């Protein structure tokens, strides 16, 4: 071969000098990657191969791999290599090799590299350690051989049964399998059924009834039966009906019991390893992908989105390099336990490969997903791992994406999550990045802002004046939630309340506003200013936290005591948000109502309004639905509805309040209808947050 041909051969298919992405892929690959010439001499070895065999690249290049192969496997390996010389120039081989951990089973997938003349110039091999699987297969084969020997030696329990009269006879070997000596257990069909494992019972009884009622003469099943010591023994039960009555019902049956526990355990282990990672016990890549497909199908049926997240340990290669792969494995198991503990019950978790994990979050939007994932990230980063006196700090970079019901292939969502992970790595690590549609990105960023604002007490009240519509005299004020961003921007409640509700944080916002109102009332008392009615909104979320309401009641009690009277606080309830039973609402509000606080109902006259609050709670104020108020100047029907509400409120001694009044025409109509109070930009904007 000429020099030119040699160069072509070495660069065809797999390049000796890969580009940066390819180099990073190979160097971080856990599988073993090699390139050898037709005589088996190494041309290239991956770092994972060097680590596995405890040899440097310099020690391996130019040498043959065959000396490391177990002598019993060399002939098969040589034969497999010979097949590469003929089309299709691929082969697979499983062989034992002497590694730094002793003899290990490696599964190789080999592909020949051809030069322009079609001659094999090199061989690319990708290997993986399959020792655990091979050992399980060997154990399974051994168990089957033992079974054959047991049959040959007569180590089988025998039984017979008759059904008219009902009798059952078992031999000593049958009883010994279950831990009993002869005479210690009377077996009959009912006793036998009671001893079968509950999870197997219906299946076995169904097969048994088919045989005894004439569907088949043969009965065969594998099931668990309780041993005398309490553990479960796997039994292979084979029987045949050999006598029936005139109606085809079984009269006599004979069968055998064989203990197949060791074989079943080996089979179950093999089944487990198909979908699970042996190191961490989590789902493996195959299991994760099946789960992702199931979650995606569930989203198609429910019409709700799901989210997929990819988590990667930061600087994990440095851990392996500094402490060794044994410690690296302990880190992976430690992180896996945290993930298993922190994921929600409905979420699906698995190891995607190497130091990457995947979480599928069914029926979850991006705001809910980020909250759940952030809790996981914080838990991992919160405390170091101690191994053999070494303190190792671990952090996670996380990328996630939303899978909407109209997306046909979850692979695309995983790809977007992977892109988000890449951004998280490149922007500093130990963080979460989201890849999704524009509204989702906004929702996630707003969720981060709300959580940050709560932590740093940057959610503050602004106060909107409420006036008597007849003379425009200020009679009350309403506290409105505002976020003061770090850059000085002021965000109105409409931009973040829905996000806070999704996060389950409304009760904390309500609590902060009530505390601010209490402080404002105390300041007003100290300044001897006349107290106004202070309207504060209570969400359904806060009603579900009676302990917080009791704490707020104590704060208001101090204000009440200082003012020598009831606090002027009005608790505003939204029927849309508060879905609890009225008795629960009344119990939760009792500490505040006992102090003299009053109740207002918001959005009255809207789509969700009813009379239940007016009947069951001591309501003093009704805040009219804003859409109904806007229609007052243009719709006779709207005015009629408002007049009816006003008439009923006057009969009940309830003050009516119209919100979002913005023009004189609407004001005039409301005055004509007798509406009592109102608020809106016509009377002045809310104050700055304080």
């Amino acid at each position: 071969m000429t020099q030119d041909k040699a160069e072509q051969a070495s660069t065809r298919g797999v390049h000796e000098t890969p580009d940066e992405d390819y180099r990073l892929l190979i160097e971080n690959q856990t599988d073993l990657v090699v390139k050898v010439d037709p005589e088996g001499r190494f041309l290239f070895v991956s770092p994972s191969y060097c680590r596995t065999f405890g040899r440097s690249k310099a020690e391996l290049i130019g040498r043959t791999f065959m000396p490391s192969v177990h002598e019993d496997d060399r002939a098969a390996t040589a034969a497999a290599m010979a097949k590469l010389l003929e089309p299709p120039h691929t082969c697979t081989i499983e062989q034992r090799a002497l590694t730094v951990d002793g003899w290990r089973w490696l599964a190789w997938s080999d592909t020949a590299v051809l030069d322009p003349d079609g001659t094999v110039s090199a061989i690319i091999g990708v290997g993986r350690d399959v020792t655990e699987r091979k050992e399980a297969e060997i154990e399974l084969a051994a168990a089957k051989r033992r079974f054959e020997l047991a049959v040959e030696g007569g180590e089988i329990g025998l039984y017979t049964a008759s059904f008219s009269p009902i009798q059952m006879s078992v031999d000593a070997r049958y009883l010994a399998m279950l831990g009993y000596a002869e005479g210690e257990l009377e077996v009959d069909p009912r006793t036998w059924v009671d001893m079968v494992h509950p999870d197997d019972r219906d299946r076995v009884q169904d097969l048994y009834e088919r045989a005894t009622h004439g569907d088949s003469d043969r009965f065969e099943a594998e099931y668990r039966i309780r041993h005398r010591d309490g553990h479960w023994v796997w039994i292979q039960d084979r029987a045949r009906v050999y006598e029936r009555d005139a109606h085809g019902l079984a009269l006599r049956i004979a069968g055998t019991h064989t203990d197949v526990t060791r074989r079943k355990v080996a089979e179950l282990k093999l089944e487990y390893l198909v979908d699970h990672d042996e190191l961490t016990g989590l789902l493996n890549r195959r299991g994760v992908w099946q789960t992702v497909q199931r979650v995606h199908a569930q989203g198609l049926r429910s019409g709700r989105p799901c989210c997929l997240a990819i988590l990667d340990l930061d600087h994990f290669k440095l851990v392996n390099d500094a402490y060794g792969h044994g410690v690296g494995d302990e880190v992976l198991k430690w992180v896996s336990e945290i993930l298993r503990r922190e994921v929600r019950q409905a979420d699906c978790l698995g190891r995607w490969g190497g130091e990457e994990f995947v979480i599928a979050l069914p029926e979850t939007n991006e705001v809910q997903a980020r909250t759940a994932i952030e809790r996981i990230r914080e838990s991992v980063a919160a405390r170091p791992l101690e191994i053999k006196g070494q303190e190792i700090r671990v952090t996670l970079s996380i990328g996630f994406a939303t899978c909407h019901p109209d997306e046909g292939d979850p692979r695309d969502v995983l790809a977007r999550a992977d892109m988000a992970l890449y951004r998280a790595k490149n922007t500093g690590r130990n963080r979460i990045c989201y890849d999704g549609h524009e509204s989702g990105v906004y929702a996630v960023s707003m969720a981060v802002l709300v959580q940050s604002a709560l932590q740093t007490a940057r959610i503050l009240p602004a106060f909107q004046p409420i006036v008597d519509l007849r003379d425009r005299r200020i009679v009350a004020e309403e506290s409105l939630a505002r976020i003061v961003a770090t850059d000085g921007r002021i965000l109105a409640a409409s931009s973040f309340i829905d996000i806070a509700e999704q996060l389950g944080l409304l009760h904390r916002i309500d609590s902060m506003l009530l505390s601010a109102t209490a402080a404002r009332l105390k300041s007003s008392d100290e300044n001897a200013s006349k107290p106004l009615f202070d309207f504060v909104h209570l969400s359904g979320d806060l009603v579900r936290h009676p302990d917080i309401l009791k704490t707020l009641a104590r704060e208001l009690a101090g204000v009440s005591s200082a003012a020598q009277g009831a606090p002027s606080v009005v608790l505003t309830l939204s029927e849309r948000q508060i879905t609890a039973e009225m008795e629960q609402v009344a119990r939760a509000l009792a500490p505040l109502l006992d102090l003299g606080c009053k109740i207002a109902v918001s959005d009255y006259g809207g789509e969700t309004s009813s009379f239940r609050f007016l009947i069951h709670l001591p309501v003093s104020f009704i805040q009219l639905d804003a859409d109904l108020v806007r229609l007052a100047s243009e719709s006779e029907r709207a005015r009629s509805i408002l007049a009816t509400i006003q008439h009923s409120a006057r009969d009940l001694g309830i003050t009516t309040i119209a919100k979002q009044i913005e023009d004189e025409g609407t004001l005039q109509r409301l005055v004509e209808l007798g509406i009592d109070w109102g608020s809106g930009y016509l009377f002045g904007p809310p104050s700055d947050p304080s």
Side-chain angles (χ1 to χ4, degrees), residues 333-508:
K333 289 192 287 186
W334 178 76
V335 171
S336 298
E337 285 303 314
I338 295 178
L339 298 181
R340 187 182 283 109
R341 185 173 63 248
E342 293 294 339
V343 296
R344 304 172 307 176
Q345 187 172 3
D347 297 339
C348 301
L349 166 68
R351 185 181 177 193
W352 194 235
E355 64 270 24
E356 285 190 344
F357 300 85
V358 166
I359 301 176
L361 302 97
E363 299 193 356
T364 304
N365 63 32
E366 50 274 352
V367 173
Q368 297 164 332
R370 194 200 181 279
T371 302
I373 297 167
E374 176 63 15
R375 184 182 66 251
I376 291 171
R377 187 198 63 79
E378 290 178 346
S379 295
V380 172
R383 58 187 177 88
L385 168 65
E386 292 188 7
I387 300 178
K388 298 178 180 179
Q390 299 290 336
E391 185 177 279
I392 302 173
R393 293 197 170 272
V394 181
T395 59
L396 292 174
S397 293
I398 305 172
F400 76 102
T402 306
C403 182
H404 292 281
D406 57 353
E407 291 188 84
D409 194 342
R411 290 183 182 86
D412 298 336
V413 186
L414 279 171
R416 289 195 283 109
D418 199 42
M419 292 173 61
L421 172 62
Y422 182 78
R423 288 202 304 275
K425 288 284 190 182
N426 280 357
T427 53
R429 294 183 170 84
N430 191 25
R431 64 192 60 213
I432 299 171
C433 285
Y434 173 71
D435 185 281
H437 53 85
E438 187 173 329
S439 61
V441 172
Y442 171 80
V444 169
S445 62
M446 187 57 68
V448 175
L449 182 61
V450 170
Q451 291 170 322
S452 174
L454 282 169
Q455 291 173 355
T456 56
R458 287 186 286 109
I459 294 183
L460 301 172
F463 296 95
Q464 175 89 40
I466 299 175
V467 303
D468 188 315
L469 295 185
R470 286 171 288 278
D471 55 16
R472 302 194 183 192
R473 174 176 51 88
I474 296 177
V475 291
E477 60 186 8
E478 182 176 18
S479 63
L480 307 172
R482 297 287 186 266
I483 287 181
V484 180
T486 54
D487 59 4
R489 289 179 299 130
I490 297 176
L491 303 181
S494 59
S495 65
F496 62 83
I497 284 297
D498 287 344
I499 300 297
E501 185 174 9
Q502 291 182 43
L503 294 172
L505 298 175
L506 280 183
H507 66 282
R508 293 183 58 187

Side-chain angles (χ1 to χ4, degrees), residues 535-602:
F535 286 73
V536 183
H537 186 83
L538 294 188
S539 66
D541 198 13
L542 186 58
V543 169
R544 290 188 289 271
H545 292 77
D547 292 342
I548 295 179
L549 290 174
K550 290 178 182 178
T551 300
L552 293 171
R554 288 194 291 270
E555 292 182 23
L556 290 174
V559 175
S560 176
S561 176
Q564 298 182 348
S568 56
V569 174
V570 181
L571 310 173
T572 305
L573 308 178
S574 168
E575 194 158 9
R576 177 184 68 83
Q577 288 188 340
I578 298 180
T579 58
E581 296 294 331
M582 283 296 97
E583 291 183 2
Q584 179 184 347
V585 175
R587 284 196 303 270
L589 297 179
L592 295 170
L593 297 180
D594 290 345
L595 290 174
C597 294
K598 300 183 182 300
I599 292 179
V601 177
S602 66

Side-chain angles (χ1 to χ4, degrees), residues 476-669:
E477 60 186 8
E478 182 176 18
S479 63
L480 307 172
R482 297 287 186 266
I483 287 181
V484 180
T486 54
D487 59 4
R489 289 179 299 130
I490 297 176
L491 303 181
S494 59
S495 65
F496 62 83
I497 284 297
D498 287 344
I499 300 297
E501 185 174 9
Q502 291 182 43
L503 294 172
L505 298 175
L506 280 183
H507 66 282
R508 293 183 58 187
I509 294 176
D510 296 345
S511 175
M512 294 178 76
L513 293 183
L514 261 176
S515 293
T517 298
R520 184 179 175 87
L521 289 174
K522 184 177 181 180
S523 175
S524 298
D525 292 337
E526 291 174 352
N527 295 330
S529 60
K530 184 178 180 180
L532 301 168
F533 282 111
D534 288 89
F535 286 73
V536 183
H537 186 83
L538 294 188
S539 66
D541 198 13
L542 186 58
V543 169
R544 290 188 289 271
H545 292 77
D547 292 342
I548 295 179
L549 290 174
K550 290 178 182 178
T551 300
L552 293 171
R554 288 194 291 270
E555 292 182 23
L556 290 174
V559 175
S560 176
S561 176
Q564 298 182 348
S568 56
V569 174
V570 181
L571 310 173
T572 305
L573 308 178
S574 168
E575 194 158 9
R576 177 184 68 83
Q577 288 188 340
I578 298 180
T579 58
E581 296 294 331
M582 283 296 97
E583 291 183 2
Q584 179 184 347
V585 175
R587 284 196 303 270
L589 297 179
L592 295 170
L593 297 180
D594 290 345
L595 290 174
C597 294
K598 300 183 182 300
I599 292 179
V601 177
S602 66
D603 303 321
Y604 197 80
E607 294 180 356
T608 60
S609 62
S610 69
F611 295 107
R612 68 178 187 132
F613 278 10
L614 302 185
I615 294 173
H616 297 287
L617 295 174
V619 176
S620 300
F621 300 91
I622 289 176
Q623 292 185 345
L624 301 171
D625 179 69
D627 290 334
L628 190 60
V629 171
R630 279 194 293 272
L631 291 170
S633 61
E634 57 186 68
S635 170
E636 183 63 36
R637 287 178 177 270
R639 289 193 291 274
S640 178
I641 293 172
L642 286 169
T644 300
I645 294 174
Q646 176 62 29
H647 179 76
S648 299
R650 184 175 291 115
D651 287 346
L652 295 171
I654 295 174
T655 301
T656 53
I657 305 172
K659 300 182 68 175
Q660 299 184 20
I661 303 173
E662 298 180 353
D663 58 78
E664 293 288 347
T666 301
L667 172 61
Q668 185 60 37
R669 290 292 188 183

Side-chain angles (χ1 to χ4, degrees), residues 207 210-211 216-220 239-241 244:
L207 292 171
R210 288 183 187 181
S216 171
D217 284 341
R218 294 185 178 277
F219 167 79
E220 183 170 347
R240 184 165 186 169
V241 176
R244 295 184 182 275

